[in-house]
Amino acid sequence: MTAAAGTPDPHEPFAHPVTGLDEVVHQRVRLGILTIAHEARRVEFGYLRTQLELTAGNLSKHLSVLEAAGLIEVEKGYAGRRGRTWIRLTAAGNTALADEIGRLKQLIARVETADTQEDR
């Protein structure tokens, strides 16, 4: 992109990393869901609700978006006599999370590089 005009430079080999951020994944709550599910491999609805400080309805809406996008699987069952809902990342979810983290790392590197150049 040309700095002066703010238009794409056809000679620039890569678009700015922010253009690759996924709106479904990047939203704060959904990124939290995907990250926690990645860490836990299988996570219970109540745990997500508590960790992300959400209402059950709000969490359900975000889970529906992620499930519709094919990024998570929702499993319903029982633990004793109590109904439980578990969330697990799909292969596509793992890929989407890794891609998002990669783009964020690229953005961080650009900021750090710019800060280093300003110090000179």
Side-chain angles (χ1 to χ4, degrees):
M1 189 160 301
T2 61
T7 57
D9 180 353
H11 299 96
E12 191 172 86
F14 303 107
H16 193 279
V18 77
T19 62
L21 294 176
D22 183 327
E23 294 294 327
V24 171
V25 174
H26 192 72
Q27 196 280 340
R28 178 185 67 85
V29 171
R30 292 191 291 264
L31 185 58
I33 292 167
L34 293 174
T35 303
I36 292 169
H38 176 75
E39 293 169 345
R41 302 290 183 223
R42 180 177 182 238
V43 62
E44 203 267 328
F45 182 93
Y47 180 81
L48 280 175
R49 192 189 64 208
T50 301
Q51 291 299 303
L52 298 173
E53 299 177 347
L54 300 170
T55 64
N58 194 341
L59 177 56
S60 290
K61 288 180 184 180
H62 287 290
L63 292 174
S64 293
V65 170
L66 292 170
E67 187 176 27
L71 303 181
I72 63 166
E73 292 177 345
V74 177
E75 173 190 344
K76 298 199 180 262
Y78 289 90
R81 293 182 178 208
R82 298 189 71 176
R84 295 281 190 240
T85 301
W86 292 277
I87 291 83
R88 179 183 319 218
L89 285 185
T90 62
N94 275 313
T95 299
L97 179 61
D99 289 349
E100 194 73 8
I101 297 300
R103 294 285 183 174
L104 292 171
K105 286 179 179 179
Q106 290 174 358
L107 288 169
I108 291 167
R110 288 175 75 116
V111 169
E112 289 174 343
T113 299
D115 288 345
T116 302
Q117 291 173 355
E118 287 177 5
D119 292 341
R120 292 181 191 172

